[in-house]
Structure formats: structure tokens, C-alpha cells
Amino acid sequence: MQVEVKSGTDQYTVQQTRLQSVIEQVSSRDMIITDTNVLACYPALSNSKGQIISIPAGEESKSFVQYEAVVEQIFQAGFLRNGTVFAIGGGVVGDLAGFVAATVHRGVRLVQVPTSLLAMVDSSVGGKVGIDLSYGKNLLGSFYNPASVYIDPTVLQTLPTEHFQNGMAEVIKYGWILDVELLEILKKENFSVNSHNLEEIVFRCVALKRDVVEADFTEKSGLRAILNFGHTVGHALEAQAEYKNLLHGQAIAVGMVAEVAIANELGLSQIRTQDVESLFQQYQLPIRPTSYVNIDQLISLMLGDKKSTGNGIAMSLVLEPGQCKLVDNIDPALVRRVLANIWS
Ligand SMILES: NC(=O)c1ccc[n+]([C@@H]2O[C@H](COP(=O)([O-])OP(=O)(O)OC[C@H]3O[C@@H](n4cnc5c(N)ncnc54)[C@H](O)[C@@H]3O)[C@@H](O)[C@H]2O)c1
Ligand SMILES: [Zn+2]
């Protein structure tokens, strides 16, 4: 299976390839960047002809300190401009290694090899790379396309279940914003890492993301913002939880349910919240916050969301299944009322 992506003057292929054959492609000029968990599951990564840098697993590694450490190691290893960076891991590795590739020698060839479901269906496609700062997530980065993306769905066998569910939240999101048929398929089949047709779902999502980023690579026209359905509330929940004990997929599942209720209250949609909730429940994702939430603080965080232009709260709302639109200027009092109501 494969998907072609055209992005500005760049063009690359996302293709299904076994991890072993990726490892065999790595030359002595190249550098693999991975994390400790992925390396522990796939020790064969150490047998490639290239050198390897393994960062500690987890979001904390998407930091300036870790970026500097990786860059130091890259230069110490004598990495030259004609080398390729292979980012082999989840979204953390992809974002950090992508930013390293974008900046070392003012940009070297990057190959993305996503190993988590979230990275396969979302972060490895679209060219956003970067790191977190103490001021917030993903604040330092750039748009930097890979030369290729290789996906081996069999590596999902070793992905912890909660991270599989995390990725499923983004898969379900694609259904609600762009692809009603996908929602039906997800309802009918209970996908797990053992599903024989999992790659069909993965590549379907890759094609959907491709369509969006091809139309709006640098988030200028507003179309790319539809990928943010559930994310205004979700990001605020993650920030309030200080990114601990709450996975991104869990936060946006709660966020999608809430944002459907908000769209209904605004009179923009008539989607039954039970329909949204049931699919998340089917995939063991939460539909309400599982610990205490300070709604007033959440509203302040949402007012500061990058989609907001200064007046009210901005959200990418689903108007009907498969159709999503960025809505600006939503009254914070209405959002507060809806959240207090559905989370009481
Ligand atoms: N660039 C983008 O467009 C974009 C889009 C969405 C998310 N992101 C970023 O992606 C990050 C989240 O990505 P994630 O959910 O993949 O997190 P992650 O990279 O932390 O991976 C999740 C966990 O699974 C482990 N893991 C990954 N693949 C594995 C495998 N095959 N077997 C065993 N363990 C494996 C990792 O070590 C980690 O512990 C966030 O930093 C987020 O900001 C970026
Ligand atoms: Zn997301």
C-alpha cells in the first residue's frame, strides 16, 4: 500500500515497508534516531550500517535540552550533509528527529519511520516537526517534509494497548471530520493490533491527512485546522493536567464529545452525542474527564489556543458527520455552560 504526497515543491511517498528492509537501507553515512522502548523491542536497529542515537522514551524528550544533546551526538559522530536521518519511533521521535534533520547543516534528508499508531496516521505525514518549550508544546519547530515515510503495521504488535487506543482517537477523528464510511467500518469491526486489515485503516487515514495538508500545508487557508476537531478542549485538558496521566488521544476523545455538544448548543449541528460517545467507548477511550477539572481555568486556556484570533474561543466543529469547519468567536460563557452541564 502507498500514498503519494505533494506538498509545495516537495513530493514523497508513504509506503508499507517492513522495518527490516528499512534497517537494510541505512548506510554508514546515516543516523538512526529512536527511543529506548522502540530499541528494546527492535534490537536489530543496532545492526544497521549507520550509527544510532536512542533518546529516553516519553514526551519529556521533546525538549531543548534533548535536542541539543542529539545535535551534539550527531556532530560528534561526524555526520555529514549527505547523510540521512532515519526517525524510527512514535511522534516524539518523529518530531524531535525531524527538527534535528531540519536544522543540522541547514537541513538534511529525513526518512520518517513511524512505529506508533498515532505517528502512522498523523504525525509522520504533513511535515510539522518541532519541540516543546517551558512556554508550551510544539512552540519551536518548522515545516520540513520527509523524503520518504515507511510504515510497517506489524510493529504495532509491540505497542502498549493504551497507545494503540491513543492512536484510535485520531482515527475516529478522521471519520467525523472527513469520512463517514470510515465511521461505519470502525463501528462494525473492532480494530485491534491483531486485525488483519489494520493497514487499510492506517493508509486510509494517511490519504485523508494527505488531502488536507496538500490543500493547506502551512495552515494558512484554515483548512488544516479541521484536523483540530476535539483539540481546543483536548489541548486545554492536557495543559491543565500538565501533560501527565492523560494521553493526547484520551484528551481529544473527551474534547470531541464536548465540542459536539457545543456545536449542538450553537445550533450548528444536530449530532447525537450518544453516537459520538459509543464509538469512543467501543475503543476504550474516555468520554468525560476522569479526574477533577477546573472549568474556569480551562476556558482561559482555550482563549489562548492558537486558533483563536482574540475574540472568543475558536473550535473546529463538526456540522454533520464527515464535515468540519473552523468556527471563531464562540462565547466563553456558552462553552462554560455546556461543559458544566455535560461533565456534572
Ligand atoms: N508533527 C505532527 O504533525 C504531530 C501530530 C500529532 C502529534 N504529534 C506529536 O506526537 C507526539 C505523540 O506521539 P506518540 O503518541 O507516538 O507518542 P510517543 O512517541 O511517546 O510514543 C508512545 C509510546 O509508545 C512507545 N512506542 C512507540 N512505538 C512502539 C512500538 N512499535 N512498540 C513498542 N513501543 C512503542 C514509545 O516509546 C512511547 O513510550 C506528541 O509529542 C505530539 O505533539 C505531532
Ligand atoms: Zn491530535
Side-chain angles (χ1 to χ4, degrees):
M1 279 194 169
Q2 66 176 56
V3 169
E4 300 290 333
V5 187
K6 288 196 198 76
S7 171
T9 52
D10 295 334
Q11 188 165 357
Y12 55 95
T13 309
V14 182
Q15 70 190 88
Q16 193 170 346
T17 308
R18 294 307 293 258
L19 182 61
Q20 186 52 38
S21 72
V22 177
I23 295 172
E24 285 160 17
Q25 259 190 43
V26 177
S27 82
S28 55
R29 293 188 303 271
D30 303 335
M31 182 65 76
I32 291 177
I33 302 179
T34 188
D35 77 17
T36 44
N37 289 345
V38 175
L39 184 56
C41 292
Y42 302 96
L45 290 173
S46 306
N47 302 337
S48 85
K49 293 203 187 81
Q51 303 199 51
I52 186 163
I53 296 173
S54 169
I55 61 169
E59 183 71 27
E60 300 75 48
S61 280
K62 249 176 74 175
S63 66
F64 204 82
V65 171
Q66 191 60 56
Y67 166 74
E68 189 179 18
V70 170
V71 168
E72 289 268 344
Q73 286 180 69
I74 279 222
F75 282 104
Q76 238 164 38
F79 181 83
L80 301 173
R81 200 167 291 223
N82 60 358
T84 297
V85 168
F86 284 78
I88 307 183
V92 166
V93 166
D95 281 10
L96 173 75
F99 189 50
V100 167
T103 46
V104 161
H105 297 302
R106 294 204 182 81
V108 296
R109 197 167 168 272
L110 167 68
V111 172
Q112 290 279 11
V113 188
T115 61
S116 69
L117 181 60
L118 182 136
M120 289 178 188
V121 300
D122 192 354
S123 59
S124 65
V125 179
K128 278 191 186 177
V129 295
I131 57 174
D132 305 331
L133 298 179
S134 58
Y135 297 95
K137 256 180 71 97
N138 299 323
L139 288 182
L140 196 64
S142 73
F143 289 100
Y144 195 70
N145 281 317
S148 295
V149 181
Y150 296 123
I151 295 182
D152 179 354
T154 66
V155 303
L156 295 175
Q157 298 282 340
T158 54
L159 186 70
T161 309
E162 60 167 4
H163 286 289
F164 180 78
Q165 291 159 356
N166 188 43
M168 280 311 297
E170 299 283 4
V171 172
I172 294 168
K173 180 196 77 180
Y174 284 116
W176 281 109
I177 63 172
L178 289 164
D179 187 350
V180 194
E181 198 185 275
L182 175 60
L183 289 175
E184 291 307 316
I185 297 171
L186 295 172
K187 233 181 271 173
K188 225 177 281 156
E189 294 192 40
N190 216 4
F191 283 97
S192 73
V193 290
N194 299 316
S195 300
H196 65 96
N197 50 351
L198 192 56
E199 67 262 27
E200 284 164 26
I201 294 299
V202 168
F203 278 86
R204 192 173 180 124
C205 293
V206 168
L208 290 167
K209 177 140 188 195
R210 181 265 322 269
D211 294 344
V212 175
V213 297
E214 277 188 355
D216 182 21
F217 179 49
T218 51
E219 247 168 17
K220 292 223 167 71
S221 75
L223 178 67
R224 194 165 175 162
I226 66 167
L227 297 170
N228 266 298
F229 170 48
H231 284 59
T232 303
V233 172
H235 280 155
L237 285 168
E238 281 182 286
Q240 190 167 101
E242 296 178 340
Y243 303 96
K244 292 184 196 105
N245 307 319
L246 180 67
L247 288 177
H248 177 69
Q250 297 168 334
I252 63 161
V254 173
M256 285 185 258
V257 174
E259 292 184 12
V260 164
I262 290 163
N264 287 348
E265 182 72 15
L266 284 166
L268 296 174
S269 77
Q270 294 178 333
I271 298 170
R272 284 164 15 115
T273 36
Q274 301 94 296
D275 291 344
V276 189
E277 292 172 353
S278 61
L279 200 51
F280 291 130
Q281 286 170 317
Q282 187 183 329
Y283 287 94
Q284 280 85 47
L285 284 156
I287 54 171
R288 311 252 182 280
T290 46
S291 57
Y292 170 75
V293 168
N294 178 337
I295 296 182
D296 288 321
Q297 191 198 26
L298 219 56
I299 298 286
S300 310
L301 287 163
M302 285 189 253
L303 284 164
D305 186 276
K306 65 176 184 210
K307 292 187 291 305
S308 298
T309 50
N311 301 311
I313 296 173
M315 287 180 182
S316 301
L317 297 177
V318 170
L319 310 182
E320 54 185 271
Q323 199 200 327
C324 186
K325 185 177 162 228
L326 179 62
V327 180
D328 208 350
N329 280 324
I330 304 172
D331 180 5
L334 178 142
V335 175
R336 195 189 188 299
R337 193 171 68 239
V338 173
L339 296 183
N341 183 27
I342 63 171
W343 293 347
S344 61

